[in-house]
Amino acid sequence: MKLRVLLVDDEIMIREGFKKLFDWQGHDCQVIDEAADGAQALNKIDCLVPDLVIMDINIPIMNGLKVIQQAKAKYPDMAFIIVSGYDDFAWCREALRLQITDYILKPVDYEEFGQCIDRLKISLFENRISHHETATGEPRPILKITSYLQDHLSEEISLSLLSQQFHLNPQYISQLFRSEIGVNFLTYLTDIRLEHAKKLLISTDLSITDIAMESGYSDYRVFTKVFKKSEGITPSRYRHEFSHPLEHQK
Amino acid sequence: MIRMEIALFLILAMVAAFYFSTPRIHSPLHETFSILLVAVLFHLVLDTITVFTVNNLDLVPVFLNDTIHRLFIGTLIIVEYLFYQYMSNLIQEDAGQLTFLDHIARFFLIIFETGVLTLPIHYAVTPEGNYSDGIHANLCYIGVAFYITLCIWMLIRHHKKIRLIAGSTITAALLIEIIVCIIQGLHPSWLISGMGITLVTMTFYLILENPDKLRAELIEQKMSMLYLKSQVNPHFLYNTLDSIRIQAQLDGDEKVAHLLMRLVDFFRLNIRSDQQMVTLDHEMELIDAYMELMCTRYPSITYISECPEELLDYVVPNFILQPLVENSLLHGLKNKGYEGTVKVAVEQIDEIRMEIRIEDTGTGFTDEVRQKINGSLLLWKKQSEKTEGNHIGISNVQRRIHLLCGSEYGLSYSENEDGGVIAHIILPLTMEEL
């Protein structure tokens, strides 16, 4: 499933950079159009109904947050990634309220942006399965595999192990992930492991070592490293920042 | 009496010499005080002459006596007006514009001066001494009373808005003026107006216009200008650097693009300078970015960093590593032609402490530098701003560690066998409290 992307930024250089420097093909995406201000953006959102809008906040005519608000009212499933130079808590909070997919800072690290897209794909996939869960009788192979992964997060998992479990060729499983979700197997596994860890960090008092174990990392250090690479902060910092959101509204 | 006037003149001449030789900021307040000083000096000269002429009516021709007397009273009114103007400027600094009152004061100045120059003068001759009375002298009293009233009114109206120091200066000056006026009214032959004027001028000088005060203001102004200069809009910086980076990347120059990214990282991390404590992670990232940029500038420098993951979440005083690493580069490695290694290593010492070591393979300390540094580390409390460049950095780091973590922690230096220097920072293992 190819993601159709609309780029919104008032600087042509930023848009050019995005178009040419990020590997859209490799992430199974396609930039279908671009817009330079808020009005144009809303107009193109209406005409094209993209799957994903990459949105700068500080743009002419109407700011990015307002565009998102209006677009979300019409297209609640549309995904938005905010790309902004503003490292500002008030805006982040407002953006989070609008339930955007991600908020990344300029200058954009394209590797980080790629992780963002992967995460979006995984959450889109999870939305799809929760919508169709009740519809069909026999679940598709990918659903069997992903639900197995969810249940065995704390264990060591590999493609060969999965292939024994499901009597499927490892290459075929890898192919399944690419075609059904749009990300490779390892990315998916890391993502659901970290999501699980984040949930535990916020909602429980378990020690970081225990959470690492629970999420399938036998080595605390490896866990911290992977977590930091993905989230930009260490696990205990994450717990600190997000477990008491009300106290943090400074 | 003449001797007192001469003494007053000499004192104020000295004050004026101090005042005009001290560099100061240009503000309406100081401008007014400069004019006031000159006017008072003029006035005291005329005062001295008048004390002589008025008591020697038979020696001095009437016309000359009158002229000098008119000039004497004329400058007296000008000085009173300048007192008003000075206090008005002082109040305006805190309470804003009062131009309406200033216009009134200026308008009446013209009326009084016209009167002083035209009205007839009459001299009272008494055994205790001579003085002028009649309509001319009364106009002078009215003028002084008028300006004092303006000042009192201004003070009462704005006393809530002005600083304590301004309020008390004005109050003191007004009290002196009023007391002198009363005494002068009771004993017209004492001729103490010159003393009153000198006392008020000295009050302003001692409290608000002395060299220390002027220098402090100048430094403050310089600092705030530096501060404003450093306030380049960070978004301008990020956005511009980003555009340049994208252009570099579009041109296929990955290296430049990467370095620009690191430069932005460095700025972003630096901007959190309002926090006193940051995670070790934050400090290490800042140093990584900084050193990557420095190693590009000086390719013969190698940077090594070793920090166990489990220590990254402990908090440390903000911005303690960068000044020390910079010292290693600028003092240790510079003299070796920027060749060598800088290593930042973090280690847990025991249950409650960690050590950060910054090692370089530079030229090490000369005996003199070692002494200076040990001195500034031990005596940071007595450090004045005069200490040269890099020692401020070191003692500043030491001071913040002592204040934020306790004096059992801190910075010390030792030397490598190969000649380089090792900075040791001992810090507590504290987690940020929620």
Side-chain angles (χ1 to χ4, degrees):
Chain A
M1 196 196 114
K2 226 180 177 89
L3 278 187
R4 295 160 63 252
V5 181
L6 175 66
L7 276 179
V8 185
D9 197 304
D10 57 340
E11 274 182 74
I12 184 159
M13 185 74 89
I14 307 268
R15 299 200 302 270
E16 284 302 300
F18 251 120
K19 273 197 296 187
K20 294 193 181 142
L21 299 174
F22 181 67
D23 179 14
W24 297 100
Q25 205 63 42
H27 285 83
D28 204 18
C29 295
Q30 187 193 359
V31 178
I32 49 167
D33 208 343
E34 47 192 280
D37 63 57
Q40 229 179 62
L42 266 185
N43 194 0
K44 290 194 171 168
I45 286 171
D46 272 333
C47 292
L48 304 166
V49 197
D51 303 308
L52 167 65
V53 183
I54 313 291
M55 181 73 84
D56 184 15
I57 293 184
N58 197 10
I59 49 175
I61 301 178
M62 184 192 287
N63 92 35
L65 292 174
K66 282 219 180 87
V67 174
I68 295 176
Q69 202 177 1
Q70 296 198 11
K72 274 268 179 191
K74 276 195 206 166
Y75 313 101
D77 287 339
M78 198 174 283
F80 292 87
I81 294 178
I82 289 181
V83 175
S84 166
Y86 288 75
D87 189 358
D88 182 324
F89 188 74
W91 279 14
C92 283
R93 203 173 54 196
E94 167 127 32
L96 287 178
R97 223 165 33 81
L98 292 170
Q99 300 200 307
I100 54 149
T101 305
D102 233 317
Y103 190 114
I104 58 178
L105 287 175
K106 279 181 190 171
V108 178
D109 181 339
Y110 296 116
E111 197 185 324
E112 186 194 332
F113 183 72
Q115 289 170 5
C116 237
I117 297 277
D118 288 342
R119 228 173 292 150
L120 171 65
K121 294 224 150 142
I122 293 166
S123 76
L124 287 176
F125 167 76
E126 271 158 11
N127 275 347
R128 279 203 304 277
I129 51 175
S130 63
H131 279 251
H132 296 294
E133 226 167 17
T134 46
T136 47
E138 172 71 3
R140 285 178 294 156
I142 187 72
L143 297 183
K144 281 200 236 160
I145 296 172
T146 52
S147 79
Y148 174 86
L149 290 178
Q150 289 287 2
D151 294 340
H152 297 79
L153 268 183
S154 59
E155 296 161 25
E156 212 177 296
I157 305 168
S158 66
L159 266 183
S160 54
L161 207 130
L162 282 183
S163 83
Q164 282 168 23
Q165 183 72 28
F166 291 97
H167 310 292
L168 291 167
N169 181 335
Q171 270 91 27
Y172 175 70
I173 297 177
S174 176
Q175 192 56 45
L176 263 184
F177 274 93
R178 291 230 53 106
S179 60
E180 294 270 352
I181 309 176
V183 302
N184 67 40
F185 165 71
L186 258 179
T187 308
Y188 180 81
L189 183 61
T190 308
D191 185 84
I192 59 171
R193 284 191 155 151
L194 291 181
E195 284 303 318
H196 186 61
K198 283 199 267 182
K199 235 176 265 165
L200 293 178
L201 281 169
I202 295 175
S203 58
T204 69
D205 288 330
L206 289 174
S207 75
I208 309 276
T209 320
D210 289 343
I211 290 176
M213 290 294 231
E214 278 290 313
S215 319
Y217 293 92
S218 52
D219 187 343
Y220 166 87
R221 252 166 284 201
V222 174
F223 170 66
T224 309
K225 214 171 230 165
V226 174
F227 192 95
K228 196 172 165 256
K229 188 153 186 288
S230 159
E231 302 298 319
I233 48 178
T234 59
S236 42
R237 189 83 211 150
Y238 182 90
R239 175 176 260 173
H240 175 102
E241 301 260 334
F242 293 100
S243 54
H244 295 269
L246 284 176
E247 281 171 37
H248 243 267
Q249 296 188 359
K250 198 186 71 177
Chain B
M1 285 314 267
I2 290 180
R3 271 173 281 179
M4 183 188 82
E5 307 299 335
I6 292 174
L8 292 178
F9 176 82
L10 288 177
I11 292 173
L12 272 187
M14 212 162 69
V15 164
F18 281 136
Y19 188 74
F20 289 115
S21 63
T22 314
R24 56 188 177 276
I25 59 170
H26 292 283
S27 71
L29 191 70
H30 297 326
E31 303 286 325
T32 310
F33 190 72
S34 310
I35 301 171
L36 178 67
L37 270 180
V38 176
V40 170
L41 284 172
F42 257 111
H43 173 72
L44 284 176
V45 173
L46 288 162
D47 195 0
T48 317
I49 299 172
T50 312
V51 171
F52 176 78
T53 55
V54 87
N55 283 306
N56 294 281
L57 287 171
D58 41 349
L59 275 180
V60 186
V62 177
F63 175 72
L64 186 60
N65 217 325
D66 280 5
T67 310
I68 290 171
H69 206 90
R70 285 185 203 282
L71 288 174
F72 164 63
I73 300 293
T75 49
L76 178 79
I77 297 288
I78 289 178
V79 167
E80 287 297 327
Y81 164 74
L82 287 171
F83 283 164
Y84 159 80
Q85 193 58 57
Y86 186 82
M87 296 182 202
S88 160
N89 283 339
L90 195 54
I91 289 176
Q92 280 177 43
E93 278 187 357
D94 297 329
Q97 293 294 317
L98 306 163
T99 31
F100 172 62
L101 277 187
D102 288 0
H103 287 317
I104 293 180
R106 237 166 273 162
F107 175 69
F108 275 89
L109 178 66
I110 295 168
I111 292 186
F112 291 133
E113 290 296 333
T114 320
V116 164
L117 293 177
T118 53
L119 290 174
I121 303 176
H122 179 263
Y123 300 101
V125 181
T126 66
E128 294 92 43
N130 304 342
Y131 56 91
S132 74
D133 60 1
I135 187 163
H136 191 270
N138 288 340
L139 180 74
C140 171
Y141 286 125
I142 292 172
V144 174
F146 170 75
Y147 285 119
I148 291 180
T149 316
L150 269 192
C151 292
I152 295 176
W153 191 60
M154 195 163 66
L155 181 65
I156 293 172
R157 253 198 90 186
H158 297 285
H159 74 280
K160 275 187 189 150
K161 283 186 238 165
I162 57 178
R163 286 162 298 165
L164 184 64
I165 187 165
S168 39
T169 311
I170 294 174
T171 311
L174 286 175
L175 278 178
I176 293 171
E177 276 200 84
I178 291 167
I179 292 169
V180 170
C181 281
I182 291 171
I183 298 174
Q184 174 76 36
L186 292 175
H187 303 278
S189 63
W190 284 13
L191 302 178
I192 56 166
S193 67
M195 189 186 81
I197 284 170
T198 309
L199 285 177
V200 172
T201 311
M202 286 302 283
T203 309
F204 292 151
Y205 175 75
L206 291 174
I207 304 180
L208 294 170
E209 304 286 342
N210 62 69
D212 284 347
K213 186 94 186 168
L214 296 180
R215 252 181 240 124
E217 280 176 6
L218 204 63
I219 289 172
E220 196 183 324
Q221 191 192 37
K222 270 189 196 160
M223 295 299 279
S224 62
M225 269 171 54
L226 280 180
Y227 180 72
L228 282 178
K229 268 191 204 162
S230 71
Q231 296 287 296
V232 177
N233 181 351
H235 302 123
F236 163 75
L237 199 66
Y238 300 149
N239 291 337
T240 311
L241 285 174
D242 200 21
S243 293
I244 302 173
R245 178 190 65 111
I246 289 167
Q247 187 61 58
Q249 214 163 347
L250 286 173
D251 294 345
D253 199 335
E254 290 292 332
K255 177 92 183 161
V256 169
H258 175 71
L259 287 173
L260 283 168
M261 195 80 183
R262 294 304 271 163
L263 187 60
V264 173
D265 286 344
F266 179 74
F267 282 133
R268 262 199 205 286
L269 292 163
N270 235 329
I271 270 182
R272 306 226 173 103
S273 50
D274 53 332
Q275 291 172 351
Q276 298 220 301
M277 301 289 279
V278 295
T279 56
L280 180 60
D281 187 30
H282 176 278
E283 275 295 280
M284 292 303 284
E285 275 188 28
L286 183 78
I287 291 303
D288 287 348
Y290 175 76
M291 280 311 292
E292 194 172 337
L293 293 166
M294 289 308 264
C295 288
T296 316
R297 286 170 58 190
Y298 306 109
S300 315
I301 293 177
T302 316
Y303 168 63
I304 305 168
S305 102
E306 288 171 2
C307 180
E309 300 274 338
E310 59 268 24
L311 294 180
L312 287 176
D313 283 316
Y314 290 109
V315 291
V316 301
N318 195 354
F319 210 62
I320 52 170
L321 295 184
Q322 202 270 347
L324 302 181
V325 171
E326 192 172 294
N327 270 348
S328 281
L329 289 176
L330 295 185
H331 299 282
L333 297 180
K334 188 179 180 183
N335 293 333
K336 282 197 165 177
Y338 289 115
E339 203 175 328
T341 308
V342 174
K343 179 174 166 187
V344 177
V346 190
E347 240 175 353
Q348 186 164 354
I349 306 174
D350 51 32
E351 290 294 297
I352 55 160
R353 292 183 302 165
M354 65 170 148
E355 180 189 34
I356 308 175
R357 274 196 319 277
I358 297 150
E359 300 176 37
D360 65 60
T361 57
T363 42
F365 291 142
T366 60
D367 287 343
E368 189 196 357
V369 172
R370 185 183 309 118
Q371 261 182 2
K372 261 194 197 165
I373 284 183
N374 285 335
S376 62
L377 288 181
L378 284 174
L379 302 170
W380 60 267
K381 275 180 189 149
K382 293 178 191 159
Q383 290 289 301
S384 68
E385 284 156 40
K386 283 176 193 163
T387 328
E388 316 126 62
N390 62 320
H391 301 305
I392 290 186
I394 292 174
S395 52
N396 182 312
V397 168
Q398 181 80 319
R399 194 182 76 226
R400 283 186 296 132
I401 296 174
H402 281 197
L403 292 178
L404 293 168
C405 307
S407 52
E408 62 269 43
Y409 302 100
L411 168 67
S412 62
Y413 275 92
S414 69
E415 275 156 285
N416 252 336
E417 283 164 17
D418 336 318
V421 166
I422 310 175
H424 305 262
I425 307 176
I426 310 287
L427 290 171
L429 295 174
T430 7
M431 281 283 187
E432 195 170 7
E433 293 139 34
L434 255 171

